[in-house]
Amino acid sequence: MHSAPVSLRRRLTRAYPVRIPSIAALLACTQSDTPDDPNFTPEPIASTALPPSANDQVALLADARTACVIDSYEVQVRCVDGEGAVVGVFGREGEGPGEFASPAYLARGEEGTVGVADLRLGRFTVFEPSGAYVSQVMMPGGGFPPLSSFGDILSGASMDVMALMRGEGVKMNRYDVNIASGEVVGDVESPPGPWDVECGEVVDGMGEVVDGIPNQTGGWVFNACEGHLIFVGDTGDATVLRAPTYVPQVPDEQEVAQREEELKAFNRERGFPESMNLEEPMQRFRTTPKNYHLSTAQQLFDDANRYWIATQRDLREWSYLDVYENAEYVGSVRVRDRIRGFDVLGSTLVVLVDRQVGADDDAVIPDRALDWYDLGEMPFGE
């Protein structure tokens, strides 16, 4: 990977200073990463405060200096730069051009634009980061999570729910859509499996295969139970491995509280008492080890076709992004605080985090921030 320009690193650091640890701590974080140590801890170069949101998507735009997030409570998209400046805040609730019913996913355009996938409207809308409307296109299959970047063609994949309901197992559909015309130029079904893993055959989708994403060369990767990953090549050949960093962990208090609030909100939206039928699912949640992956949305292939996945390891003082190349684990990038989302472009990494202000901070809702990292010295995956 190439290092970010020195001028950019200096400008970001001067304009938006970050918390600087002691010299001893800094040396421990950056110089203890030996070739035998799979963890790389880059030094943050900037941080930008963000308003609360229930959406964890972040898109690093083509200039690698601007990143966009979704403000779910305001039904808007917010774009900021590494210096902390707001580049644009745009969108509102509605169904007209430039409006959103439920913005769910972001992707970067090759020309410096940002795309917003609205699954309720089945629509993908392209904006300048300032908020200027560019174009929109309808998405097949009721909409799908897009890949992290797009050009003339928008690509993404979604699960075939009808096949699942028919008992045909987990199937994903990759769609390729011409941005200008809306024509579907590609509709490819993922390899059917099944694949054997230690925790059972991956065939029914009942939590054993959570989701899959396609790579840039016609292959796929699937998350499975108990930390297993399934890398499928363009010819259908599969490599099944268990993530070497996976350690079964039950949810912590913050995750339990968040899950309980989600279930209560689900009940309220349907007019039920908010505590109805909570005891059994909450007990199961408390005692069931978490997945290896953070969420199915927090995984991507970078521009070198390396697979990155946000994991549930620690999620307190530190969080970890695991990196795979050619279906092999090559190392982990360790970042501060509790990760919610991320994006990678070249040697720039942006991480959306929840952050407690300090050890004595007892706020129920943590602060939210976007941290910027330079990966120019990453010792693996080159």
Side-chain angles (χ1 to χ4, degrees):
M1 284 185 162
H2 300 293
S3 175
V6 173
S7 58
L8 171 60
R9 297 201 300 270
R10 287 175 178 166
R11 187 162 63 252
L12 292 177
T13 305
R14 284 201 304 266
Y16 206 103
V18 298
R19 297 175 298 176
I20 303 299
S22 67
I23 295 297
L26 184 58
L27 290 174
C29 286
T30 59
Q31 294 186 3
S32 64
D33 301 317
T34 67
D36 296 327
D37 184 354
N39 295 323
F40 170 59
T41 307
E43 180 184 355
I45 56 175
S47 184
T48 304
L50 296 172
S53 174
N55 185 285
D56 296 329
Q57 283 284 293
V58 55
L60 181 59
L61 302 193
D63 62 2
R65 301 179 183 180
T66 306
C68 301
V69 298
I70 294 174
D71 290 351
S72 62
Y73 301 121
E74 300 297 332
V75 198
Q76 293 179 323
V77 173
R78 176 180 297 264
C79 297
V80 299
D81 65 22
E83 299 177 356
V86 176
V87 176
V89 179
F90 53 89
R92 63 181 181 183
E93 193 166 7
E95 299 184 3
E99 297 178 333
F100 308 123
S102 180
Y105 298 99
L106 299 173
R108 67 172 159 272
E110 293 177 352
E111 302 300 322
T113 55
V114 57
V116 186
D118 190 319
L119 299 192
R120 190 175 299 173
L121 297 178
R123 186 170 73 190
F124 186 80
T125 307
V126 181
F127 298 88
E128 298 288 343
S130 63
Y133 170 85
V134 176
S135 64
Q136 68 181 38
V137 65
M138 299 307 294
M139 306 172 76
F144 53 81
L147 300 186
S148 58
S149 63
F150 65 94
D152 295 334
I153 302 297
L154 170 68
S155 299
S158 63
M159 185 172 290
D160 187 337
V161 178
M162 296 305 297
L164 190 63
M165 294 177 65
R166 291 193 298 267
E168 298 174 5
V170 173
K171 294 181 181 179
M172 302 286 296
N173 287 101
R174 172 180 174 144
Y175 297 104
D176 298 298
V177 182
N178 185 294
I179 286 284
S181 67
E183 178 187 2
V184 178
V185 296
D187 183 352
V188 180
E189 193 175 86
S190 69
W195 302 284
D196 290 333
V197 296
E198 294 177 5
C199 47
E201 290 188 344
V202 184
V203 292
D204 63 3
M206 300 303 291
E208 294 193 353
V209 163
V210 181
D211 217 337
I213 62 169
N215 65 16
Q216 301 161 2
T217 58
W220 293 76
V221 62
F222 295 92
N223 308 131
C225 50
E226 297 182 9
H228 286 85
L229 295 171
I230 303 147
F231 292 87
V232 185
D234 57 353
T235 60
D237 56 308
T239 300
V240 180
L241 61 86
R242 192 178 195 187
T245 63
Y246 173 70
V247 176
Q249 293 177 302
V250 295
D252 62 24
E253 292 181 5
Q254 181 175 336
E255 290 160 339
V256 169
Q258 180 178 346
R259 179 60 174 169
E260 184 172 6
E261 180 52 39
E262 290 171 352
L263 293 177
K264 288 180 178 179
F266 180 86
N267 283 337
R268 288 195 299 268
E269 289 173 0
R270 285 151 183 78
F272 303 140
E274 67 174 21
S275 296
M276 186 180 75
N277 298 328
L278 279 188
E279 185 175 349
E280 182 178 343
M282 284 307 305
Q283 178 62 20
R284 185 167 60 250
F285 183 79
R286 289 188 186 95
T287 57
T288 301
K290 298 184 293 183
N291 290 321
Y292 161 64
H293 56 281
L294 181 67
S295 77
T296 55
Q298 302 307 332
Q299 54 181 327
L300 58 83
F301 284 92
D302 66 13
D303 47 13
N305 209 32
R306 290 179 290 258
Y307 175 66
W308 292 65
I309 182 168
T311 76
Q312 299 216 51
R313 184 158 41 130
D314 196 354
L315 292 183
R316 294 177 178 86
E317 183 179 358
W318 300 100
S319 296
Y320 293 83
L321 294 156
D322 286 356
V323 185
Y324 294 80
E325 188 168 13
N326 298 323
E328 293 184 1
Y329 170 75
V330 294
S332 301
V333 176
R334 186 175 73 160
V335 295
R336 61 182 185 173
D337 296 307
R338 181 184 289 264
I339 187 173
R340 306 302 304 179
F342 77 102
D343 198 8
V344 180
L345 179 60
S347 62
T348 303
L349 166 68
V350 291
V351 182
L352 182 63
V353 297
D354 284 344
R355 172 174 298 136
Q356 302 300 136
V357 174
D360 298 328
D361 180 22
D362 58 356
V364 175
I365 300 177
D367 292 333
R368 192 172 171 89
L370 195 64
D371 290 344
W372 302 70
Y373 294 89
D374 177 10
L375 299 178
E377 303 302 322
M378 193 169 76
F380 49 78
E382 297 178 352

